[in-house]
Amino acid sequence: MKSLTVDAGDERYDVLVGRLEDCRSRLVALARGRPLVVVSEPKVWGLHGAKLEALLPCDPILVPEGEPAKDWPHLRDLIEAFAERNLDRQTTVAAFGGGSVGDLTGLAAGLFKRGLPLIHLPTTLLAQADSAVGGKTAIDALGQKNLVGMFHQPNLVVADVSLLDTLDPRQLRAGYAEVVKYGLIRHEALFEWLEDHGEKLLAGHREYREEAVWQSVAAKARTVEADITDRNGARALLNFGHTFAHALESAAGLGTLLHGEAVAVGMVLAFALSAELGLCPHGDSARVRDHLAGLGLPTTIAETGVDRAALLPLMRGDKKNDAGAIRFVLTRGIGDAFLSEGVEEAKVAAFLDRAA
Ligand SMILES: O=C(O)C(=O)C[C@@H](O)[C@H](O)[C@H](O)COP(=O)(O)O
Ligand SMILES: [Zn+2]
């Protein structure tokens, strides 16, 4: 079992990468002698619920699978389910699922009675490597990705890569894109390691999966500690590729493209834009595209089926923007991303016109 502690200001929590069953005592302690309220989705609960119930009594609440769960009606339903159970502020809620279950559950737990203790038990590569750590929560609204949310830090995160054995290959590849992100923003050595081992990781080798999750979680922990609530620009690096990605997801219709698929295209576009602006070598841009495409991820706007004209208006709503300027995370090369001051819209429009 590998473990690290995230120091989130007044709050600290452990992230454990290992077997769920080895964390039994931690889960039992957080449940405080009551059944653990577990928010999950039907497929995950059907496949893995018994594993959790073998460790401690659980009270499952099921929400729909994937992005459709992240909306106002499901947030209201979940909060009502908490109210029906008369949860108090000492009752721990566990999110047992992928990024969508984590985002929705985190938000409901943060809002209900101004905050319930929260455990993330991520079951997808994307959630284990990225979204379960850092305290971001969200639902989509008005057709825009993650428009409504808050920070609500978990009390514990447990990433058990054996849960990935049943994951659909498309979901696995999508999560892989966020792992690649960690290599691209600051850790060139991680990207090189993925170039060597990414295929084995996707094929199911557990030790490579565990190493990738561990490296990503460690990188994420250090970044979020430097900018707990996304204010000083340090954390914005984790949004590498996401300005394009969120626009692509919204334009495609939320839930059509998987988040990680959109991030793969978004990161390739961020490299291409950086190269076009003379900031980064074209060779790095091609290397990133080749790696992602070689492992079956989409890398072009054309593959997403999205009308490129829809993207710029959506990017105007990005959370990183300042005084109307679109602030991309750009790059000087593999492992060297930075938050730009803002790229002129005319340049972005011309880039999008030409981009593949
Ligand atoms: O935790 C963060 O900070 C991230 O930006 C991680 C992203 O991979 C994740 O998709 C996040 O939810 C995007 O957040 P948003 O603030 O752009 O909605
Ligand atoms: Zn993301």
Side-chain angles (χ1 to χ4, degrees):
M1 171 83 62
K2 285 183 168 163
S3 107
L4 59 79
T5 302
V6 180
D7 189 348
D10 295 342
E11 293 160 275
R12 287 164 70 83
Y13 58 93
D14 289 342
V15 181
L16 312 178
V17 179
R19 292 309 190 91
L20 218 40
E21 44 273 36
D22 295 335
C23 308
R24 183 177 174 275
S25 58
R26 301 287 298 267
L27 300 174
V28 167
L30 280 162
R32 298 166 64 107
R34 309 174 203 183
L36 183 64
V37 177
V38 181
V39 182
S40 190
E41 41 104 333
K43 197 163 154 198
V44 169
W45 189 250
L47 285 167
H48 304 297
K51 192 168 184 159
L52 206 52
E53 284 186 305
L55 303 180
L56 77 174
C58 296
D59 176 9
I61 301 173
L62 300 185
V63 301
E65 187 180 339
E67 204 68 24
K70 287 176 56 177
D71 66 3
W72 288 114
H74 292 102
L75 177 65
R76 188 202 54 219
D77 289 351
L78 187 51
I79 287 175
E80 285 179 5
F82 291 170
E84 276 159 22
R85 286 165 173 75
N86 194 23
L87 303 192
D88 61 41
R89 298 205 313 160
Q90 279 70 45
T91 316
T92 300
V93 168
F96 190 43
S100 303
V101 168
D103 279 0
L104 173 72
T105 308
L107 183 54
L111 290 170
F112 189 75
K113 297 188 179 174
R114 299 199 192 95
L116 303 180
L118 174 68
I119 303 174
H120 280 298
L121 304 174
T123 62
T124 62
L125 181 56
L126 185 137
Q128 293 189 353
D130 185 56
S131 63
V133 177
K136 272 190 181 176
T137 75
I139 58 166
D140 307 325
L142 305 172
Q144 291 177 54
K145 175 88 178 179
N146 292 352
L147 186 69
V148 176
M150 66 187 292
F151 285 92
H152 183 55
Q153 302 296 340
N155 298 62
L156 178 70
V157 180
V158 183
D160 179 343
V161 298
S162 75
L163 300 174
L164 305 181
D165 292 349
T166 54
L167 196 62
D168 166 65
R170 185 180 167 206
Q171 288 280 356
L172 200 62
R173 275 196 301 274
Y176 181 79
E178 295 275 20
V179 176
V180 171
K181 177 185 81 178
Y182 286 99
L184 295 181
I185 56 181
R186 275 289 170 272
H187 302 278
E188 190 178 1
L190 173 60
F191 182 71
E192 286 166 358
W193 184 85
L194 291 168
E195 286 183 311
D196 291 340
H197 302 301
E199 208 164 327
K200 287 173 263 181
L201 183 167
L202 289 174
H205 288 241
R206 220 172 255 182
E207 65 274 30
Y208 291 111
R209 290 182 175 182
E210 206 156 280
E211 182 63 14
V213 169
W214 175 247
Q215 293 294 334
S216 303
V217 157
K220 180 152 197 184
R222 302 295 80 96
T223 309
V224 301
E225 284 176 338
D227 185 9
I228 298 159
T229 54
D230 208 3
R231 293 285 160 194
N232 66 24
R235 188 169 183 153
L237 296 189
L238 302 176
N239 243 242
F240 183 62
H242 283 60
T243 308
F244 291 115
H246 285 170
L248 286 163
E249 287 178 86
S250 297
L254 290 168
T256 310
L257 276 174
L258 296 179
H259 175 66
E261 293 171 335
V263 168
V265 179
M267 293 192 299
V268 171
L269 291 174
F271 261 93
L273 176 60
S274 303
E276 190 167 305
L277 294 171
L279 298 166
C280 129
H282 285 279
D284 280 15
S285 184
R287 194 171 145 201
V288 170
R289 185 198 57 221
D290 291 350
H291 179 63
L292 293 168
L295 291 181
L297 279 154
T299 54
T300 61
I301 300 174
E303 284 166 273
T304 66
V306 160
D307 173 8
R308 64 192 64 228
L311 297 177
L312 194 53
L314 287 162
M315 292 193 298
R316 291 193 188 108
D318 190 87
K319 295 182 202 72
K320 295 181 293 305
N321 294 351
D322 184 14
I326 300 177
R327 293 175 83 207
F328 290 94
V329 180
L330 295 175
T331 180
R332 298 182 195 92
I334 292 167
D336 197 5
F338 66 97
L339 179 62
S340 75
E341 278 315 309
V343 181
E344 277 169 50
E345 261 201 41
K347 285 189 180 163
V348 180
F351 168 76
L352 283 171
D353 275 349
R354 281 191 307 274

